[in-house]
Every structure is written in structure tokens, then in C-alpha cells.
């Protein structure tokens, strides 16, 4: 027997065995094509083995040797046909024509393999010896060659019809197999005795398949990437959904808060009813805080929460925090102590609204979880060069936190000792958001607590000191007093009728005349017709033409110089800066906050 045959085929048999062991011993993904590859490996191993046995049989002289050799040869040809069909099916599965669950196509491949196997089994086959190797001929052999030709044409079709993706490494094994087949046809035409290269060439193809596409590690990484992309998309969808929801919830809340505030000012409403209206306002505020909390946490998780640094008045921020806390304390028997370090410069550079949010969270908790005694809100400053480290602490004589619970405090949705705290409202989001915000500003938060005695939350954050402030002094002054103005006219633009009504009533309470339109187009028409206004309150999210687009068109009108304020339920942090960048003079979030409205009216429509 030809020793080249034995060496080559034994070698390829060993390689096939190693591939099988490596492939099946690793954790794999189970796509159709991966399962086909596994089966193809086993099939080629068996084919290779039979090919080798066939070669060895030529040297042995048995009774019925010729008959047995013809039979084994037929089995060998059938195995080759099935392997090639399986390979064609594999290529189909990774081609652009593949559709999941296409049972008809699966059936077609199975039918093709069975039909051809039967044909080879029943058609006559001749085996002749040439030298120390053998030559097969006859109808079964011709039939096999015809099938091979057909399958190769099919493979070429799959590759050529997807030329765009030719760079994709998934077609490398297919192209290789086609090149191998052409080489073998040429070689065999020149040297007919070299008919033993079929098995090694198959094993080479399988090896290339393994290293280019089928290595379970490569597949696993692909799977993980797909899973990560899907998770990221789902998370983004969640954030989008939540910001949409927040917008939708804010719109009706705007009416609730707006009309309730008006009722509180209405002298004809009896005091008994006003108490209930106050409860409505408080509940609406709570709801708004929950919506904001959910929105914040989803933004934090999507890494979309940004710190927006601006110059701000430290003193004003402290005053607002004290006023807010006192309001929330109501008539609880708690002494509210404050202690602000006078050496802290008045104008600092940082994200004041987020610092405020942090303080509000820990102050509100102190108020919620303290029945009596005192709460101390203290801020001290450590100045180094142009940086002031703010050390903010809130200490209370409240219910305290058990030692074992301190670590859980900052987990989202975690609420401690629920049985005892059932009456205290909360979502368990406040401290999770607080911690993330502090970290985003490179600060630290520490908790000290004695269960039953009280707690102390300390936050430290660095803020830059502004030597030459660019914010106008008036902005650091109190503008929150309600004023009455005269002879002022404001154009209201909003697609929502109820929102228009709220704004009309609120502005009328300042003595301001209003005119309302329901679209940007109508607003443009009014200005083009030369109507005069002292201010425009412009909603952003309107169908067909948004507020931002409307403003752009307004600014194109020669001589347009009316103060334009964005009034929108798109109230994420950072939105104010966005709207100012878009060219608005100022920004009001819905639901309209009384103090904010006072500020805007005071600033732009004050008679003085
Ligand atoms: P919640 O909306 O429940 O207040 P937080 O995240 O703000 O959520 O707080 C988480 C939990 O930490 C609270 O449910 C409460 O059990 C506990 N906690 C927070 N602050 C205090 C405090 N000052 N005193 C006692 N317990 C507190």
C-alpha cells in the first residue's frame, strides 16, 4: 500500500479526533450551524476512518474481496455525499438566505442526501487497481461526481450572491473547499493515483472552519456581545420610556398644582377648603418627587446623568434649603438648627441643583425619621487655593439605623425596618440617588447612627471659588416675592388647552393680560402681523412644529426682540442649559413652581 496514503490519512484522522475532543469538551452555543458543524466533524472522522480501512484492505487477500471492496467504497462515497450535503446546509445556514424554522428547506437537504445515497447504493461501481492504489469508476462514481459538481455550484452561488459580505470570514471555509476541489480535479487528472487527498482536504477545511467561525470561544464572545447590546438597548428603551412617562405625568400635574395654588390665593375659598387644597398641593409635590426619583435613577443607570456646573450663590441655596425644610417640618415638635460657616465664599462654581437635591434628600429623611428633638443642618468650608470643600452634615435625634442595616442604606428600593416605618412614605430611592450624585461630583458621604438615638449624614464635595463672578448681582438676590404688574401682555403657546388655562389663570393673578394660541404656526402669524407682547411663554413639545423650531423662525422675523421663555414638561436636569443654548431667555418647568414663576415675572415684567 502507498505509504503516502497511510501517513496522510492517519494524520488527518488524528487531527479530526483532536478537533472533536476540543470542540465537544468546551461549553458551546447551540445554533443550528454549530450543531451541523459538530455532526460534520463526527461524519468526517468516520469517512476518514473508512477511507483508511479501504486503503488497507487493498493489501489483504480475502474471499469475496472484490465484492467487499465495492461495498465499502459505496459506503465511503455515500458518506462523502452526506458530508458535502451537510456542508452545503451549513453554508446555507450562515448565508443571507437562511430563515429560522424553514422546515421545507431542511426537508429538501435531507431528501437530497437520501436520494443520492440510495442512487449510489444501487448503481453499479467498478474498482480497478492501479499500482498500489485503486481507481473507482462506473455509474455510481459518475453519479457521485455529478452530485459533487451540483453541490459545488450551489456553494459558489451562495458565495457569489453575497459578494458584499465576501470580506466576512464566515465564507473563508467555503471558498477554501471550492479551491481544494478544483485543485484536486486538476491533480487527479494529471496523477490518477493521487485519489487519497479527499480526506485530508476535508480535515483542513474543518480545521479552518474551527479557527475562523466555529471555535466555541469566538462564538461565546459573539453571544456575549449580542447579549450586551440587547441589554443596553433594553436599558435605553427603559430610560426613554421613563422620560416619556415623566413628561406625560407632569402635564396633568401642572393643572393640579397650578389650579390648587390659585385656589389657595382665592379669597372666596373658605379656609376649611384651603386645608384640603394644601394637601392636594403636597400630594402633587410628593408625586412629582417620585417621578423625578425614578427618572434620576434610570438616568444614572444608563450613565446619562450629567453634572452641569455653573456659578451660583451659596447663600441663596442655603436660604432656599432652610425655607424648604421648615415647610416640610410643619408643626412637628422638632427644633431646626442651622450652622453655616461664614467663611464660605458667596459665589461658587458647581452643580447647585444637584447639591441642593443631595441636601433635600438627607434633610427630608431627617424630618421623616425624627419624631421629636432637634435636627441640625450644618455646612462648613475648608478653603485651599481656589477650591472650597463643603462639608455638609445633617444630624437628627430620630429613630436611628441598626448597625447591620447601614450597608444596605444606599441600595435602591431598600427601605429599612418596614414594619416600624409603614406610615412613613418613601420609595427607597433617595439615598441611592444621593450616593450616586455625590460620587459623580467626586465627593464622599458618610453615615453615623445609633439605633433609637439618631443619625448623622455627612457629605463632602469640592466646589471652585469664583473670584470674578459673571452672574449678575440681581440673580443672587431674592426674586421670589409675588409682585403685581400693570399693562403687560404675554403670549401663551401650548398645544394643550388645560395647560393654557392654567398659565392664563396664573398670569392673570399677577395682573397680566394674556393671549393664547395652540401652535407655533399661530404664534408666528401673530408676531408677523405686528402684534406686540412683553413676553412669550412657549411650550416645546408640540406636534408639527416644536417650541425650539418656532423660536428659530421667530428670530428670523426682522426686529423680533420679545423675551421668550421655554415652558415645558421636559424637565430633566440639564434641560435649562439646553433651552438657554437654543436661544430662550429663560426656562420654566411644568408643573409651574410658584417661586420660579415669581422669579421670572419679577425679572422680566417688573414695572420698575
Ligand atoms: P426613603 O424614600 O424610604 O426615605 P431613602 O433611600 O431616602 O428612601 O432611605 C432609605 C432608608 O434609610 C429609609 O427607608 C430609612 O429606613 C433609612 N433612613 C434614611 N435616613 C434616615 C434617618 N435620618 N434616620 C433613620 N433612618 C433613615
Amino acid at each position: 500500500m502507498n505509504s503516502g496514503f497511510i501517513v496522510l490519512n492517519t494524520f488527518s484522522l488524528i487531527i479530526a479526533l483532536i478537533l472533536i475532543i476540543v470542540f465537544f469538551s468546551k461549553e458551546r452555543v447551540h445554533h443550528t450551524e454549530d450543531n451541523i458543524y459538530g455532526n460534520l466533524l463526527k461524519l468526517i472522522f468516520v469517512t476518514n476512518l473508512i477511507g483508511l480501512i479501504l486503503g488497507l484492505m487493498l493489501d489483504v487477500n480475502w474471499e469475496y474481496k472484490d465484492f467487499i471492496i465495492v461495498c465499502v467504497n459505496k459506503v465511503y462515497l455515500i458518506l462523502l455525499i452526506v458530508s458535502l450535503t451537510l456542508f452545503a446546509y451549513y453554508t446555507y445556514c450562515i448565508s443571507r438566505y437562511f430563515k429560522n424554522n424553514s422546515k421545507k428547506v431542511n426537508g429538501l437537504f435531507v431528501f437530497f442526501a437520501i436520494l443520492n445515497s440510495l442512487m449510489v447504493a444501487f448503481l453499479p461501481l467498478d474498482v480497478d487497481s492501479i499500482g498500489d492504489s485503486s481507481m473507482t469508476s462506473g455509474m455510481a462514481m459518475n453519479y457521485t461526481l455529478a452530485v459533487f459538481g451540483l453541490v459545488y455550484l450551489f456553494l459558489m452561488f451562495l458565495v457569489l450572491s453575497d459578494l458584499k459580505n465576501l470580506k466576512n470570514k464566515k465564507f473563508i471555509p467555503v471558498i477554501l473547499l471550492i479551491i481544494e476541489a478544483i485543485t484536486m480535479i486538476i491533480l487527479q487528472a494529471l496523477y490518477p493515483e493521487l485519489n487519497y487527498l479527499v480526506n485530508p482536504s476535508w480535515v483542513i477545511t474543518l480545521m479552518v472552519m474551527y479557527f475562523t467561525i466555529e471555535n466555541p470561544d469566538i462564538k461565546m464572545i459573539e453571544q456575549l456581545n449580542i447579549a450586551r447590546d440587547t441589554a443596553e438597548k433594553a436599558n435605553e428603551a427603559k430610560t426613554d420610556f421613563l422620560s416619556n412617562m415623566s413628561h406625560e405625568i407632569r402635564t396633568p400635574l401642572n393643572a393640579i398644582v397650578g389650579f390648587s395654588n390659585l385656589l389657595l390665593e382665592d379669597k372666596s375659598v373658605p379656609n376649611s377648603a384651603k386645608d384640603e387644597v394644601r394637601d392636594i398641593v403636597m400630594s402633587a409635590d410628593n408625586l412629582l418627587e417620585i417621578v423625578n426619583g425614578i427618572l434620576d435613577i434610570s438616568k444614572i443607570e444608563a450613565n446619562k446623568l450629567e453634572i452641569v456646573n455653573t456659578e451660583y450663590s451659596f447663600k441663596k441655596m442655603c436660604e432656599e434649603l432652610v425655607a424648604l425644610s421648615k415647610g416640610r417640618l410643619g408643626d412637628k415638635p422638632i427644633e431646626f438648627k442651622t450652622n453655616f460657616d461664614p467663611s464660605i465664599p458667596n459665589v461658587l462654581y458647581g452643580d447647585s441643583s444637584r447639591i441642593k437635591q443631595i441636601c433635600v434628600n438627607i434633610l427630608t429623611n431627617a424630618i421623616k425619621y425624627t419624631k421629636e428633638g432637634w435636627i441640625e443642618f450644618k455646612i462648613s468650608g475648608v478653603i485651599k487655593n481656589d477650591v472650597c470643600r463643603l462639608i455638609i452634615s445633617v444630624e437628627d435625634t430620630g429613630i436611628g439605623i441598626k448597625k447591620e442595616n447601614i450597608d444596605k442604606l444606599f441600595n435602591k428600593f431598600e427601605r429599612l425596618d418596614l414594619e416600624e416605618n409603614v406610615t412613613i412614605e418613601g420609595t427607597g430611592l433617595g439615598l441611592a440617588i444621593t450616593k450616586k450624585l455625590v460620587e459623580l461630583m467626586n465627593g464622599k458621604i458618610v453615615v453615623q447612627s445609633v439605633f433609637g438615638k439618631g443619625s448623622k449624614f455627612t457629605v463632602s464635595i469640592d466646589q471652585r471659588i469664583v473670584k470674578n463672578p459673571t452672574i449678575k448681582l440681581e440673580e443672587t438676590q431674592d426674586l421670589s416675592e409675588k409682585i403685581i404688574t400693570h399693562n403687560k401682555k404675554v403670549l401663551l403657546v401650548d398645544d394643550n388647552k388645560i395647560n393654557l388655562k392654567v398659565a392664563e389663570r396664573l398670569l392673570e393673578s399677577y395682573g397680566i393680560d394674556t393671549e393664547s394660541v395652540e401652535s407655533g404656526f399661530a404664534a408666528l402669524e401673530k408676531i408677523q402681523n405686528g402684534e406686540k407682547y412683553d413676553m412669550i411663554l412657549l411650550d416645546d413639545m408640540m406636534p408639527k412644529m416644536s417650541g425650539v423650531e418656532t423660536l428659530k423662525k421667530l428670530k428670523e422675523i426682522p426686529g423680533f426682540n420679545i423675551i421668550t421663555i421655554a415652558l415645558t414638561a421636559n424637565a430633566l436636569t440639564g434641560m435649562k442649559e439646553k433651552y438657554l443654548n437654543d436661544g430662550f431667555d429663560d426656562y420654566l418647568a411644568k408643573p409651574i413652581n410658584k417661586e420660579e414663576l415669581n422669579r421670572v415675572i419679577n425679572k422680566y415684567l417688573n414695572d420698575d
Side-chain angles (χ1 to χ4, degrees), residues 361-362 365-366 368-369 396 399-401 409 414-417 421 425-432 455 457:
N361 279 342
I362 49 179
N365 277 345
K368 277 202 297 194
Y369 301 105
D396 65 52
I399 58 169
I401 302 156
L409 218 53
E414 187 90 56
R415 305 201 64 216
L416 313 173
D417 296 315
N421 289 339
E425 284 175 23
T427 52
L429 281 177
L431 285 180
S455 320
F457 285 74

Side-chain angles (χ1 to χ4, degrees), residues 289 292-297 300 305-307 317 321 324 328 351-364 429-435 437-438 441 573:
E289 236 163 69
N292 287 346
I294 293 176
L295 198 61
D296 275 343
I297 204 82
I300 286 170
L305 197 127
E306 281 170 33
I307 296 300
M317 183 183 79
L321 283 167
L324 194 127
R328 291 200 172 173
D351 192 335
S352 65
S353 63
R354 291 303 182 183
I355 293 188
K356 223 170 128 181
Q357 192 179 352
I358 291 169
C359 295
V360 169
N361 279 342
I362 49 179
L363 282 165
T364 310
L429 281 177
L431 285 180
I433 296 170
T434 303
K435 180 148 195 254
L437 289 177
V438 172
M441 290 192 264
T573 304

Side-chain angles (χ1 to χ4, degrees), residues 98-114:
F98 177 68
K99 283 187 193 71
N100 251 336
N101 296 329
S102 49
K103 284 211 175 94
K104 270 191 203 150
V105 184
N106 297 358
L108 219 63
F109 278 99
V110 175
F111 173 73
F112 187 77
I114 295 176

Side-chain angles (χ1 to χ4, degrees), residues 172-329:
I172 293 177
V174 189
I175 296 168
L176 180 76
L177 196 73
I178 295 171
I179 294 172
E180 281 171 358
I182 296 169
T183 320
M184 256 181 312
I185 292 169
I186 297 170
L187 271 179
Q188 237 164 316
L190 296 174
Y191 312 100
E193 69 279 11
L194 278 183
N195 61 354
Y196 52 79
L197 294 175
V198 178
N199 291 329
S201 76
W202 259 117
V203 173
I204 291 173
T205 309
L206 290 179
M207 217 159 69
V208 172
M209 274 166 99
Y210 182 85
F211 287 112
T212 49
I213 21 184
E214 279 307 326
N215 181 346
D217 293 343
I218 300 177
K219 287 263 163 170
M220 280 294 181
I221 291 170
E222 263 173 30
Q223 278 302 94
L224 288 177
N225 284 342
I226 293 170
R228 193 201 51 212
D229 289 350
T230 321
E232 271 173 12
K233 274 200 194 112
N235 206 17
E236 259 169 43
K238 185 184 78 183
T239 312
D240 288 349
F241 168 76
L242 285 172
S243 55
N244 235 338
M245 279 301 286
S246 131
H247 182 268
E248 295 307 312
I249 294 172
R250 270 164 196 281
T251 307
L253 266 183
N254 185 39
I256 298 172
V257 174
F259 288 134
S260 304
N261 278 329
L262 285 168
L263 284 176
L264 283 180
E265 287 173 13
D266 192 335
K267 292 203 174 64
S268 64
V269 176
N271 277 344
S272 56
K274 280 192 179 169
D275 277 346
E276 279 146 22
V277 177
R278 252 178 233 115
D279 287 343
I280 295 178
V281 175
M282 221 166 68
S283 305
D285 282 345
N286 279 344
L287 185 56
L288 192 64
E289 236 163 69
I290 295 171
V291 172
N292 287 346
I294 293 176
L295 198 61
D296 275 343
I297 204 82
S298 75
K299 288 202 88 188
I300 286 170
E301 283 175 356
N303 279 331
K304 277 189 177 164
L305 197 127
E306 281 170 33
I307 296 300
V308 185
N309 294 325
T310 52
E311 290 175 15
Y312 67 94
S313 159
F314 172 74
K315 198 169 143 241
K316 192 180 148 213
M317 183 183 79
C318 293
E319 284 167 4
E320 284 170 2
L321 283 167
V322 172
L324 194 127
S325 306
K326 285 191 173 159
R328 291 200 172 173
L329 262 177

